[in-house]
Amino acid sequence: MASGKINVSVENIFPLIKKFLYSDHEIFLRELVSNATDATLKLKHLTSIGEAKVEYGNPIIEVKIDKEGKKLHIIDQGLGMTADEVEKYINQVAFSGAEEFLEKYKDSAKDSGIIGHFGLGFYSAFMVAEKVEIITKSYKDEPAAHWTCDGSPEFTLVPHDKTERGSEIILHIAEDSLEFLEEFKIRELLTKYNKFMPVPIKFGTKQEALPKPEDAGDDYKTEYLEVDNIINNPNPAWTKQPVDLTDEDYKKFYHELYPMQFEEPLFNIHLNVDYPFNLTGILYFPKMGADLQLQKDKIQLYQNQVYVTDNVEGIVPEFLGMLKGVIDSPDIPLNVSRSYLQADGNVKKISNYITRKVADKLKSLFNENREDFEQKWNDIKIVLEYGMLSEPKFYDKAGDFVLYPTTDNKYYTLAELKEAIAPNQTDKNGKLVVLYASNKDAQHSYIDIAKEKGYQVLLLDSPIVSHLIQKLEADNENISFARVDADHIDKLIQKEEETISKLSDEEKNKLKETLETVVPKENYTVQLENLDSNAAPFMITQPEFMRRMKEMSASGGGGMFGMGNFPDMYNLVVNTNSELATTILNSTEDAQKDLVKQALDLAKLSQGLLKGEELTAFVKRSFETLK
């Protein structure tokens, strides 16, 4: 029997391990199962190149709970170790790694991600165990070894009679960690971290129904067979080639990733790159709401099929954070802090690659089946519009597939839109005016007026539209966007011909004075216009610039400082050629006030601005006139 003292300068390293890594102590299981997987895959490699003269077979990893004995076992059928290797790898290498780790990271250990990289994987067992045993038999023809350590630098190492190849780690669970003897807890951790690991993981057994024999009578009772309960899927979809997967396979995998998600994804993007870094994965576009916030942190990050995190900030471009799916890369340095990660050159390359790949896929989906792409547009547009604003590389490619729908459900790319509206919607200064609505119902009357003129009206209703059109105007010469209710249509797209006013200048001044005694100055600017006599007599518009700045201010970023708190300002456009204008002029003072009040309320009503007390009074007043 050998016993000894592990050679460490820190008197007792175990309390330190426990203290520094305690915030995340559940990862001990991920680390130990990862070690078992490594040992198994290394053996596979050695047998395939003929270096290990043993049968690889169909090895599994088993996790077993012994509740009464307060023990947790992790058993593999991998390489195993000789006594000399235990001495080297467990007592020397892992411990020097542990010391180095504590020296270097004791201030930031909680932010250190995967700890296995420091050779600390095995020692994370002491976060939950008061004593740890290793019983191990190497694939080489040497006796098995039994190592025991009780969380002090003393250990014992003795021969053992184990005959099967592989290692068994036995954790004697400490009193403060008894939750790790609960079946539901271990199942939860295995499902979280090890769901897609490349070696089958057995956790208990389950009953499987045997097929009913063809000659079975009516009284046949289903027979069951007890089989291993394999908790993981060792060959997840992202490890396969896209040619080997059907649409159905991708959907099935989506539901495997998100068991609580009942809606089907719209489409997926399979990532597969081996130069200049290794990365595989599948990203899914789920149906999107208009809310940008709710969707974050749904992409899962793996390293060689081991789950790491679902916070992929910095690795995935921000606008794709709303997608779902998996990214697996051995090249992402996960053992360091987030700030380091964001400054890492490899990570930036990965982010750029994902952006390019997503743009290419969207372009091909658009080209292959435009009709289908148009149908899905409203469910994906928020991501793409956000991408155009936040990612210059994506913006450069967006012209190929970003769509601009009209209120009549026609879909244009920007180039097609310019071509379609140029003949009719170019104003007298040669500027192309793109009309849009943000709400089909609320702006219905304005849309109608524009359509009567033969104009196309886009429907742009995302919360970030103001930012987007600001950018499009800046990048496209001679184009401006105007919401249909920003002014009277003839002012939005000014043509050469002027309509002459029926009223003299004197009459106009008199009309304006009358209006301004009734119309509240703090919210409305009165604007007299010589319009077609059939146009609405009173019309409320909201100036494009002010409204847009307010919206940009409200949705964060851009806009003028503090404009979100400004009261809403409107123009009251009064058509001097309408019969109502003449009637107001020719009425008595009291009648004028009543007419202006009623006309203003009607204009407010058509903009959805008549509410509460004002609406009640208006309805009451309108009924009075019916008597």
Side-chain angles (χ1 to χ4, degrees):
M1 164 178 167
S3 65
K5 202 168 162 91
I6 295 164
N7 181 19
V8 283
S9 53
V10 180
E11 184 39 48
N12 194 343
I13 207 162
F14 295 100
L16 289 173
I17 288 174
K18 197 151 191 165
K19 181 180 158 203
F20 284 125
L21 301 170
Y22 200 74
S23 63
D24 204 7
H25 62 311
E26 65 178 35
I27 61 160
F28 82 91
L29 190 61
R30 173 183 74 185
E31 295 298 322
L32 295 179
V33 174
S34 296
N35 288 350
T37 304
D38 283 348
T40 310
L41 295 179
K42 277 177 184 150
L43 180 71
K44 185 180 192 177
H45 179 66
L46 293 179
T47 53
S48 71
I49 61 172
E51 202 167 299
K53 307 271 187 273
V54 292
E55 193 61 47
Y56 178 67
N58 294 301
I60 63 167
I61 292 163
E62 183 175 6
V63 178
K64 258 195 325 202
I65 295 172
D66 168 4
K67 207 164 179 179
E68 281 176 26
K70 293 189 182 173
K71 289 187 287 195
L72 184 67
H73 301 248
I74 293 108
I75 306 156
D76 70 56
Q77 294 150 23
L79 278 176
M81 289 182 281
T82 64
D84 287 347
E85 286 167 340
V86 172
E87 170 60 43
K88 182 178 167 190
Y89 293 117
I90 301 297
N91 294 341
Q92 291 168 29
V93 178
F95 248 116
S96 61
E99 260 202 304
E100 189 189 320
F101 169 81
L102 290 172
E103 271 318 300
K104 197 168 170 188
Y105 291 98
K106 58 182 171 223
D107 298 328
S108 63
K110 287 186 170 54
D111 194 23
S112 65
I114 277 195
I115 60 169
H117 287 252
F118 302 104
L120 248 190
F122 169 70
Y123 279 99
S124 63
F126 285 98
M127 286 161 31
V128 299
E130 56 192 16
K131 181 165 96 173
V132 177
E133 299 178 64
I134 305 172
I135 301 167
T136 180
K137 166 92 175 74
S138 171
Y139 72 94
K140 298 168 187 164
D141 190 16
E142 287 197 37
H146 184 185
W147 179 91
T148 311
C149 181
D150 64 358
S152 70
E154 275 85 32
F155 69 90
T156 61
L157 182 58
V158 296
H160 193 274
D161 56 8
K162 175 176 168 73
T163 53
E164 321 79 69
R165 176 188 75 221
S167 300
E168 176 171 4
I169 315 278
I170 304 165
L171 274 58
H172 296 257
I173 299 294
E175 287 300 316
D176 63 2
S177 298
L178 295 178
E179 61 184 303
F180 297 111
L181 293 169
E182 298 298 337
E183 196 178 316
F184 78 89
K185 183 68 182 170
I186 296 298
R187 186 185 299 110
E188 178 199 318
L189 294 186
L190 289 171
T191 307
K192 178 175 174 181
Y193 291 114
N194 307 101
K195 191 175 180 177
F196 298 112
M197 289 195 76
V199 178
I201 299 164
K202 173 186 174 180
F203 183 56
T205 57
K206 61 180 180 186
Q207 301 290 322
E208 211 163 73
L210 289 168
K212 186 177 176 180
E214 283 178 22
D215 56 354
D218 293 341
D219 57 350
Y220 172 77
K221 279 196 174 61
T222 307
E223 287 185 25
Y224 291 90
L225 185 67
E226 194 166 295
V227 295
D228 287 352
N229 178 33
I230 300 298
I231 207 146
N232 59 328
N233 168 4
N235 304 300
W238 83 81
T239 62
K240 299 172 184 171
Q241 288 300 316
V243 289
D244 299 331
L245 294 162
T246 62
D247 276 356
E248 213 35 63
D249 293 328
Y250 283 116
K251 281 180 185 163
K252 202 173 146 202
F253 178 60
Y254 179 75
H255 293 299
E256 204 176 325
L257 276 176
Y258 306 102
M260 303 311 289
Q261 193 68 36
F262 301 112
E263 278 195 334
E264 294 294 347
L266 297 165
F267 46 78
N268 65 269
I269 295 171
H270 199 129
L271 305 166
N272 199 343
V273 65
D274 46 25
Y275 179 83
F277 44 78
N278 260 301
L279 177 129
T280 51
I282 299 170
L283 296 180
Y284 291 93
F285 270 80
K287 277 196 162 185
M288 289 290 160
D291 190 339
L292 286 166
Q293 293 313 313
L294 295 176
Q295 318 278 350
K296 295 272 181 83
D297 291 352
K298 292 290 184 290
I299 294 175
Q300 299 176 10
L301 188 64
Y302 287 76
Q303 191 184 54
N304 294 327
Q305 293 176 240
V306 183
Y307 172 80
V308 179
T309 179
D310 62 1
N311 188 333
V312 292
E313 211 181 316
I315 294 159
V316 172
E318 194 187 348
F319 77 101
L320 295 176
M322 292 173 276
L323 301 191
K324 293 185 171 176
V326 166
I327 287 172
D328 189 334
S329 174
D331 291 337
I332 296 173
L334 295 164
N335 52 345
V336 281
S337 69
R338 170 145 286 122
S339 55
Y340 176 89
L341 195 60
Q342 282 161 354
D344 185 77
N346 235 357
V347 172
K348 190 69 197 142
K349 280 187 197 137
I350 288 174
S351 176
N352 288 341
Y353 165 76
I354 293 171
T355 299
R356 195 177 74 239
K357 186 77 183 173
V358 168
D360 291 347
K361 175 73 176 187
L362 290 165
K363 184 179 175 177
S364 69
L365 286 165
F366 174 77
N367 291 337
E368 282 160 25
N369 188 344
R370 177 162 179 164
E371 199 180 321
D372 181 59
F373 192 82
E374 287 178 357
Q375 279 173 353
K376 290 173 177 166
W377 177 252
N378 280 327
D379 291 312
I380 63 168
K381 65 184 176 196
I382 192 84
V383 179
L384 275 54
E385 289 168 354
Y386 188 36
M388 287 171 77
L389 286 172
S390 60
E391 205 64 48
K393 284 187 165 62
F394 187 76
Y395 181 81
D396 293 343
K397 289 173 173 273
D400 292 331
F401 50 78
V402 165
L403 293 174
Y404 300 86
T406 70
T407 50
D408 295 327
N409 299 320
K410 271 194 207 151
Y411 290 83
Y412 293 109
T413 63
L414 191 59
E416 291 166 350
L417 178 69
K418 287 178 182 175
E419 198 180 326
I421 67 173
N424 211 10
Q425 288 176 229
T426 304
D427 71 9
K428 63 182 183 185
N429 303 315
K431 209 168 192 132
L432 189 62
V433 182
V434 180
L435 299 174
Y436 71 98
S438 59
N439 183 319
K440 218 168 158 174
D441 291 335
Q443 290 144 21
H444 183 270
S445 61
Y446 300 90
I447 296 168
D448 250 16
I449 293 166
K451 280 192 194 164
E452 277 170 22
K453 295 261 184 191
Y455 297 153
Q456 300 253 26
V457 181
L458 298 185
L459 181 61
L460 303 177
D461 55 4
S462 306
I464 52 176
V465 156
S466 306
H467 296 273
L468 185 64
I469 60 183
Q470 199 76 1
K471 186 163 177 53
L472 290 169
E473 285 175 345
D475 293 342
N476 290 273
E477 224 180 320
N478 274 342
I479 191 168
S480 76
F481 283 72
R483 205 167 82 176
V484 281
D485 58 350
D487 207 334
H488 187 274
I489 197 72
D490 294 343
K491 298 288 266 190
L492 290 177
I493 305 180
Q494 289 189 344
K495 302 289 180 161
E496 291 297 347
E497 62 273 8
E498 285 268 326
T499 311
I500 295 157
S501 175
K502 277 192 208 169
L503 304 182
S504 66
D505 288 351
E506 198 183 321
E507 287 172 317
K508 278 194 204 169
N509 289 336
K510 196 174 161 198
L511 178 62
K512 194 164 187 184
E513 279 168 24
T514 305
L515 292 163
E516 284 176 345
T517 57
V518 183
V519 178
K521 281 189 185 57
E522 57 276 15
N523 297 102
Y524 295 94
T525 305
V526 174
Q527 216 175 302
L528 299 187
E529 298 289 351
N530 316 329
L531 303 171
D532 188 296
S533 58
N534 297 324
F538 275 44
M539 184 174 178
I540 290 171
T541 62
Q542 196 175 10
E544 177 76 20
F545 176 75
M546 291 287 281
R547 194 209 73 250
R548 202 189 290 184
M549 289 300 144
K550 248 181 91 77
E551 283 174 359
M552 285 167 74
S553 196
S555 62
M560 287 164 72
F561 179 74
M563 279 203 60
N565 303 325
F566 264 53
D568 278 317
M569 287 301 296
Y570 299 96
N571 291 334
L572 175 64
V573 179
V574 177
N575 181 2
T576 60
N577 291 337
S578 64
E579 283 181 29
L580 182 61
T582 311
T583 309
I584 293 169
L585 266 177
N586 298 334
S587 300
T588 63
E589 201 174 316
D590 286 348
Q592 282 180 332
K593 282 187 176 159
D594 288 346
L595 285 167
V596 173
K597 183 95 188 83
Q598 189 74 353
L600 177 61
D601 280 355
L602 284 166
K604 279 182 172 178
L605 194 62
S606 81
Q607 259 282 43
L609 295 171
L610 198 63
K611 295 185 175 112
E613 205 176 314
E614 286 188 332
L615 180 60
T616 309
F618 168 78
V619 172
K620 207 170 169 183
R621 212 168 54 239
S622 302
F623 278 134
E624 293 293 320
T625 64
L626 298 176
K627 284 179 182 172

